[in-house]
RNA sequence: GUCCCCUUGGUCUAGUGGUUAGGACACCGCCCUUUCACGGCGGCAGCACGGGUUCGAGUCCCGUAGGGGACGCCA
């Protein structure tokens, strides 16, 4: 392990589920680590005692695993820089605070929340703008401090920030970023409750964990100058920073629940597969370049990933495109992968192959499922659509498109044709044993010719009669998969 | 309100001073076909605006407008 090895992290706070914004941040860090043969660390930022929950931590880990983003160091895995939950690192933060105290870069602030609110209100009443902490406790006398302490008044520690000059850094994504120091107020670094604030814990951890790059959402930009000042106060060399653009909803407002799914697990339940989610997220705010297929596996993404290609402007989340990427991944999967996806779906619905159907060349459930997949071909493009596409293969009590049914079967002539087709099939197919698609086709086309009809005049009614739908896979193959007994029964039922 | 950032078709984007401004999603049309989907072909549609710099600007500079973000003893 050399000093040059890239070390990056994803540091979620466990106050909810893994949402797309977090997933994208995690993904980019992960892609960077993997593409650089570096290390990806997962750290749980749970210093907020009120809001952090174990269920949330679990949900986030689940989301990460589902996406296939594995971490080299983290809670549950360990590593040389642990522990990986901030709540277990209190001693480390306290030591760091001691260092800050010794250097005189922090001071005690005895202001209560009410004090702060009152002063802020006063400023506003006077027609001004409260621009953050006013430095009230910055130069308390020894006596005052002693008095407050004697009272047992809780105190927080604030960082003394410079009033002049500027703090800047060269952002990996947008280039130079600069903030005037006078807009950076003396922020609390250690809360009165004995916990470090986010900005302090982050700096201590990123340094102690050897992070070389910090890639995070653009909503963290304004934290960066403060963090830089903390690095400086601690005498530490800061990592490189990169701020990635926000993900917006279709209406260009910050992406939220009202736009639709936002948690990774919600997408999963809507039939989005992880490779598609990863692929789409990677495309959002990043580009593989001028041309080429956008449908990429996670390995291809690793191979092509470059921080230089990360965009600087916010991008709107496009559910349609995600759906498209999803369908492309689904279609490109090999038969075994599709089977692994389909089998559980069939189980969920309680759909089992029945030998009485007499389907040519099929003996059991798996064989039947494999044949259905072949039959679906390019229609295997949506996990959500699958049940609707397959229901009629497993039960006679399947959904029926009422409109299509009435339009078709409402016609006396059509019903006669359906009956004629049933008669022909009964007559011409071997009385027992399975019939192939070719067998069905021969009968249908033969009847059409004999009756002076177009094949479609028989095929379309048959489709409605057999599937209840006006659209389906190839009719003769559908017949084969249904098996002659059921084909006959459904044709008779429809013509009745 | 203050500070910061962003701006190529409806959406994601390529583009790094000289291009008929390219691709993808969506949409429309045609072809394929037993329907639908897939696939193939074609189409609609874009450099926010105004000033500069330059022989020449989507590309550089300034401003305006629009959008986003941050202003916590939350993370």
């Amino acid at each position: 392990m050399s000093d040059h090895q890239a070390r990056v992290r994803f540091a979620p706070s466990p106050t909810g589920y893994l949402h797309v914004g977090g997933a994208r941040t995690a993904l980019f860090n992960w892609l960077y680590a993997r593409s650089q043969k570096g290390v990806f660390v997962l750290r749980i930022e749970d210093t907020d005692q009120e809001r952090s929950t174990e269920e949330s931590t679990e949900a986030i880990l689940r989301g990460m695993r589902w996406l296939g983003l594995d971490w080299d160091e983290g809670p549950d895995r360990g590593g040389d820089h642990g522990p990986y939950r901030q709540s277990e690192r209190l001693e480390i933060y306290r030591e760091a605070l001691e260092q800050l105290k010794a250097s005189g870069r922090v001071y005690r602030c005895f202001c209560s929340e009410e004090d702060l609110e009152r002063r802020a209100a006063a400023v506003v009443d006077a027609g001004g703008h409260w621009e953050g902490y006013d430095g009230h406790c910055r130069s308390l006398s020894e006596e005052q401090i002693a008095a407050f302490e004697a009272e047992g008044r809780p105190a927080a520690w604030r960082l003394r920030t410079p009033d002049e000059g500027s703090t800047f850094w060269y952002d990996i994504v947008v280039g130079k970023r600069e903030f005037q120091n006078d807009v950076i107020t003396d922020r609390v670094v250690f809360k009165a409750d004995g916990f470090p604030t986010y900005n302090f814990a982050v700096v201590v951890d990123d340094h102690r964990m050897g992070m070389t790059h910090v890639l995070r959402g653009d909503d963290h930009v304004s934290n960066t100058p403060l963090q830089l000042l903390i690095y400086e106060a601690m005498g530490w060399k800061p990592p490189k920073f990169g701020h990635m653009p926000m993900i917006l909803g279709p209406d260009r407002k910050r992406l939220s629940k009202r736009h639709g799914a936002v948690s990774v697990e919600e997408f999963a339940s809507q039939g989005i597969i992880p490779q598609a989610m990863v692929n789409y997220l990677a495309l959002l705010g990043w580009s593989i370049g001028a041309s080429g297929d956008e449908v990429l596996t996670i390995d291809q993404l690793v191979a092509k990933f470059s921080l230089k290609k990360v965009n600087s402007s916010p991008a709107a989340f496009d559910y349609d495109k995600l759906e498209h990427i999803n369908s492309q991944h689904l279609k490109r999967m090999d038969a075994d992968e599709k089977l692994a996806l389909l089998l559980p779906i069939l189980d969920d619905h309680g759909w089992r192959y029945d030998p009485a159907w007499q389907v040519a060349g099929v003996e059991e459930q798996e064989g039947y499922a494999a044949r259905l997949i072949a039959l679906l071909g390019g229609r295997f493009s949506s996990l959500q659509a699958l049940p609707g596409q397959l229901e009629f293969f497993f039960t006679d009590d399947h959904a029926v498109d009422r409109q299509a049914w009435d339009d078709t079967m409402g016609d006396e002539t059509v019903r006669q044709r359906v009956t004629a087709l049933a008669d022909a099939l009964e007559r011409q197919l071997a009385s027992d044993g399975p019939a192939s698609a070719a067998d069905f086709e021969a009968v249908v086309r033969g009847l059409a010719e004999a009756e002076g009809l177009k094949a479609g005049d028989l095929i379309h009614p048959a489709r409605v009669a057999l599937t209840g739908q006006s659209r389906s896979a190839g009719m003769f193959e559908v017949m084969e998969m249904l098996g002659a007994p059921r084909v006959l029964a459904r044709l008779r039922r429809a013509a009745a």
Side-chain angles (χ1 to χ4, degrees), chain A residues 234-246:
Chain A
M234 295 298 294
W236 293 337
K237 176 175 179 276
K240 289 190 169 64
F241 290 96
H243 295 272
M244 317 194 340
M246 301 280 85

Side-chain angles (χ1 to χ4, degrees), chain A residues 289-320:
Chain A
S291 61
D293 199 348
E294 287 187 331
V295 180
L296 302 163
T297 64
I298 198 160
D299 289 337
Q300 291 174 309
L301 288 172
V302 170
K304 293 175 188 256
F305 187 76
S306 162
L307 277 179
K308 292 193 181 72
K309 287 292 192 175
V310 176
N311 242 83
S312 57
S313 52
F317 196 92
D318 185 347
Y319 289 87
D320 283 337

Side-chain angles (χ1 to χ4, degrees), chain A residues 14 16 44 53-65 76 85 265:
Chain A
I44 302 299
T53 67
E54 187 54 32
E55 302 79 74
S56 175
T57 301
E58 286 310 313
I60 289 169
L61 298 195
R62 233 184 296 128
M64 295 280 288
R65 292 195 185 100
D76 84 325
R85 305 172 109 97
E265 294 189 308

Side-chain angles (χ1 to χ4, degrees), chain A residues 52 60 138 178 231 256 260 267 335 397 428 442 471:
Chain A
S52 299
I60 289 169
R138 207 175 194 184
E178 181 171 25
Y231 276 101
S256 73
F267 283 101
D397 185 27
Q428 297 176 43
R471 321 186 295 244

